[in-house]
Amino acid sequence: MMTGVLGLLQLFGIFFYVGLFAIGGGLVAATFMQQVLVEKYAVISLEKFYSMLAISESTPGPIGINLATYCGTELYGPIGGIITTLGEITPSLIIIMLVAGFFGNLQKKPLVQAAFSGLRPATGGMVLVAMVNVFKIALLNLPEFASGGGWMSLFRWESIIFYAAALVILFCFKKLHPVFVVLAGAVFGILFL
């Protein structure tokens, strides 16, 4: 648990910002959180952040809210989790209350349709950035490669083999629920990584 780096009010503000501008779902919110918590303030390491993201994706509920709660709890304990969760959901609640009454009329306006058309590719790009970052952390061993370990050290081979096996299982055994693959991934990570 960290204290003193970010105040609770500042933490609320950061997650309010994330909740306000993360149009497109949890992975877009994760990209914003990474930029602020890892790159700007350096309160969480990149590897720790993506471990938190993986856990947030595999637990029930919206990824962005799960990740906000986890980040806040990691930084300030339970009160931090409550603060970050409130910061993350407050903008959505405000916008829903404002828009709910007249959205039916708004969605037919050309300007609103054009705004949504512009948001789709931007959101897709942010999801792609999050996906690439998760793959870099999960499948590549960049620190060892950079220290001169040779090109074979670039890859986390056990992770790549597990990833390929999980894809084969998901595509070949369509009746198998994906939660079993997620649980297998958790066991694999505990035992081998």
Side-chain angles (χ1 to χ4, degrees):
M1 190 166 20
M2 295 182 183
T3 57
V5 179
L6 295 173
L8 287 174
L9 188 59
Q10 188 177 12
L11 201 61
F12 178 86
I14 288 168
F15 283 89
F16 187 90
Y17 161 80
V18 169
L20 185 62
F21 292 105
I23 297 169
L27 290 177
V28 174
T31 303
F32 282 139
M33 288 180 214
Q34 176 197 341
Q35 289 173 345
V36 175
L37 298 174
V38 176
E39 296 169 11
K40 184 173 182 180
Y41 292 107
V43 294
I44 298 174
S45 71
L46 186 62
E47 190 162 313
K48 175 77 172 173
F49 180 79
Y50 280 108
S51 295
M52 294 165 71
L53 178 61
I55 291 169
S56 298
E57 286 179 327
S58 58
T59 54
I63 296 168
I65 295 171
N66 289 350
L67 186 56
T69 305
Y70 194 172
C71 288
T73 303
E74 185 72 21
L75 293 171
Y76 283 100
I79 190 70
I82 292 168
I83 294 292
T84 55
T85 302
L86 289 174
E88 178 78 15
I89 65 172
T90 300
S92 297
L93 293 174
I94 293 170
I95 291 169
I96 287 169
M97 287 189 286
L98 291 174
V99 171
F102 52 90
F103 184 72
N105 295 334
L106 270 181
Q107 73 182 23
K108 296 174 185 154
K109 304 277 183 197
L111 189 61
V112 173
Q113 290 176 345
F116 280 119
S117 294
L119 286 172
R120 285 186 197 105
T123 300
M126 294 195 68
V127 169
L128 183 63
V129 166
M131 184 186 79
V132 167
N133 286 332
V134 168
F135 273 103
K136 280 189 334 193
I137 294 293
L139 302 178
L140 299 179
N141 196 1
L142 295 175
E144 190 172 322
F145 178 72
S147 67
W151 75 272
M152 287 296 286
S153 69
L154 175 62
F155 302 102
R156 296 178 191 244
W157 292 104
E158 59 279 340
S159 296
I160 291 172
I161 291 167
F162 181 82
Y163 177 72
L167 283 177
V168 168
I169 289 168
L170 286 171
F171 283 112
C172 293
F173 302 100
K174 295 195 185 266
K175 291 187 179 188
L176 179 69
H177 199 282
V179 76
F180 294 113
V181 177
V182 170
L183 290 173
V187 170
F188 172 79
I190 291 168
L191 295 177
F192 298 106
L193 299 178

